[in-house]
Amino acid sequence: MTSFSGSFAARHALLATSAIFIFSALPTIAHAAGTRAGTVISNTASATFDNGGGSTTVNSNTNTLTVDELIEIDVDWSDSADVVTTPGATSQPLKFQVTNNGNGVETYGLATVSTIGGDNYDPSVTQIVIDDGDGVYEPGQDTIYVPGSNDPVLNPDQSITVFVLSTTPGGLADGDRGGVQLTATSKTGTGAPGTSFAGAGEGGGNAVLGTSGGDDSDNGFYIVSSANVSIAKSATVLDPFGGTGVVPGSTITYTLVATTTGSGNLPNLVISDAVPTGTTYVPGSITLGGTAQSDANDADAGRFGSGTVTVNLGTVAGGQTRTITFKATVN
Amino acid sequence: MKRMISFAFALSLASALPGVAQAQSANAVAIDSNVMVERTTTDAAGRSQTMLEEPRVVVPGDKLVFVLNYRNNGVRAASDFVVTNPLPQAVAFDGTSDADASVSVDGGRSWGQLATLSIRNADGTSRPARAEDVTHIRWAFQQPIPAGRAGRLMFRGVVR
């Protein structure tokens, strides 16, 4: 039995708990797009009773509310880690997700800023590209974004992948980090959350800015990975008499130690050294890491031709050493 | 001949019904529904203030308070008094401070306190019902409503 006093107490309990309800409700707004803009909510209660004439039902008045468009946008950098780049590299993609968390169709403009601070360098953004839906950057297949011309139009809950392509400046050090900020801005407008744009919502209602305020940004990062090689050359001499004099007939053993540094790779690292004039190369004397190499231009790494010793080391990661030796006799 | 009689009887019943309903609503129970939205504003000092407003438009996430006022306008007590409010599809139930209320999560077929209800999953298992599963709320009064007595019922919802 609900009496007057009972409902009065209930009302007080209701108001006392309202603050808690509000806090718990906030995340709901950010997650799902929610009821589509323009939806009409109607509420009617009914009462059945018997006052002697049998069971009777009466309906209340009907309250109707219209759901306005809530503009809610989310931009999220979605690479799992910093994107590895090398000095001078072009069209390196950063991957972002742009999601319409609002409840109406909305058009968004995209823009980038690379002077975000807190990083080591500013990548030079060359293009924004809208993915064709597979989440993989494919030049020529994905669509190049042109502001004002092909601004993405997103349905509620729809998410698109956007790639930001940049050129990495030359002369950067290994481990340098550079960030780019991508911003998506509602074409309806931006402002403080709760700002209402009369008649601008889907279905002709108002458009109301949600917690994002009509725009959202996120930063994506590149990390420079480079490697360097240094070569130390030394020679030992064995003369025909068992000494170390450089006389005709002495054999000189040259040792080249290539040392790589840095976090990157050196692709197709080739070491070549011309046999000094006044000496003659000793055929079949090339070794790599202690293993003999043939002089022919064949499957193994070493070869000799045109008076030059050449060793193809392939791709060498930073932090390694390769030791090459060859011999020549003094004429 | 028999068919004609039954037809005439049905006709007279149909025409009589609206008259009966009218007569009863004039001196029986009336129920009135109001919906308010709870809007919180924060002032410069960071204090938040919650206001109840009568909305025409809402956005997803808005907190609604449904208020039902009833009154027995009749001269006799109304027994077996039950108030039922189906939740609009776009509104998720968000509780009621009224312990007498029971809810349904199956379109009004079964009723109980939310904690006692469950939802059957597609794979045959079941899970405890949640507030957003509620389809109807109702108040079934144990005692008759005396003539002239009025009261107020409330529940909360969130625009999905």
Side-chain angles (χ1 to χ4, degrees), chain A residues 38-226:
Chain A
T39 302
V40 174
I41 297 176
S42 300
N43 190 64
T44 310
S46 65
T48 62
F49 59 94
D50 186 345
N51 61 352
S55 184
T56 308
T57 299
V58 292
N59 285 330
S60 73
N61 58 312
T62 298
N63 300 110
T64 52
L65 307 170
T66 304
V67 177
D68 264 350
E69 182 180 341
L70 184 67
I71 296 176
E72 200 72 82
I73 178 75
D74 182 58
V75 176
D76 204 21
W77 176 44
S78 57
D79 288 305
S80 56
D82 289 1
V83 171
V84 176
T85 187
T86 52
T90 58
S91 297
Q92 295 292 295
L94 287 176
K95 190 174 173 182
F96 293 85
Q97 300 298 319
V98 177
T99 307
N100 180 0
N101 283 330
N103 64 344
V105 173
E106 196 62 24
T107 305
Y108 294 97
L110 304 174
T112 59
V113 174
S114 58
T115 53
I116 59 169
D119 56 0
N120 304 109
Y121 75 96
D122 297 332
S124 166
V125 175
T126 50
Q127 263 172 1
I128 298 174
V129 174
I130 298 169
D131 184 44
D132 60 0
D134 61 4
V136 179
Y137 172 56
E138 294 147 317
Q141 195 168 322
D142 297 332
T143 309
I144 295 166
Y145 171 65
V146 181
S149 158
N150 60 350
D151 293 325
V153 179
L154 302 187
N155 287 317
D157 271 337
Q158 190 187 351
S159 184
I160 55 166
T161 300
V162 171
F163 299 105
V164 172
L165 307 188
S166 311
T167 297
T168 306
L172 296 173
D174 185 46
D176 277 355
R177 205 162 178 249
V180 178
Q181 180 179 71
L182 176 69
T183 301
T185 305
S186 162
K187 288 289 180 184
T188 301
T190 58
T195 304
S196 185
F197 297 91
E202 185 185 70
N206 298 339
V208 180
L209 298 181
T211 51
S212 63
D215 59 2
D216 192 42
S217 311
D218 200 15
N219 296 337
F221 290 91
Y222 297 100
I223 190 156
V224 173
S225 179
S226 62

Side-chain angles (χ1 to χ4, degrees), chain A residues 218-290:
Chain A
D218 200 15
N219 296 337
F221 290 91
Y222 297 100
I223 190 156
V224 173
S225 179
S226 62
N228 283 308
V229 63
S230 59
I231 298 172
K233 185 175 180 180
S234 59
T236 57
V237 181
L238 182 65
D239 67 31
F241 320 106
T244 57
V246 179
V247 295
S250 291
T251 301
I252 306 172
T253 302
Y254 292 101
T255 303
L256 301 168
V257 178
T259 303
T260 59
T261 55
S263 66
N265 291 318
L266 290 163
N268 300 317
L269 178 60
V270 176
I271 311 283
S272 55
D273 195 16
V275 175
T277 48
T279 67
T280 302
Y281 170 71
V282 177
S285 66
I286 303 170
T287 69
L288 170 61

Side-chain angles (χ1 to χ4, degrees), chain A residues 1-4 7 10-11 13-15 17-18 21-22 25 29 33-35 39 41-54 56 58-61 63-70 103 206 208, chain B residues 24 28-29 31-35 38 40 50 55-61 63-64 66 68 70 76-86 88 90-91 94 97-98 100 141 143 149-150 152 154 156 159-160:
Chain A
M1 168 75 198
T2 300
S3 67
F4 256 121
S7 69
R11 232 180 312 165
L14 188 84
L15 290 175
T17 53
S18 45
F21 275 112
I22 292 157
I29 303 169
T35 305
T39 302
I41 297 176
S42 300
N43 190 64
T44 310
S46 65
T48 62
F49 59 94
D50 186 345
N51 61 352
T56 308
V58 292
N59 285 330
S60 73
N61 58 312
N63 300 110
T64 52
L65 307 170
T66 304
V67 177
D68 264 350
E69 182 180 341
L70 184 67
N103 64 344
N206 298 339
V208 180
Chain B
Q24 279 189 339
V29 171
I31 183 156
D32 174 62
S33 160
N34 285 287
V35 182
E38 202 173 68
T40 304
T50 302
R56 284 193 306 279
V57 292
V58 292
V59 292
K63 313 281 297 175
L64 303 177
F66 293 80
L68 308 174
Y70 63 86
R76 275 182 292 200
S79 61
D80 300 328
F81 187 66
V82 179
V83 174
T84 309
N85 197 140
V91 175
D94 195 24
S97 50
D98 192 339
D100 295 340
F141 289 69
Q143 305 293 324
R149 175 66 60 85
R152 171 177 288 187
M154 284 195 224
R156 298 172 148 272
V159 180
R160 289 185 203 266

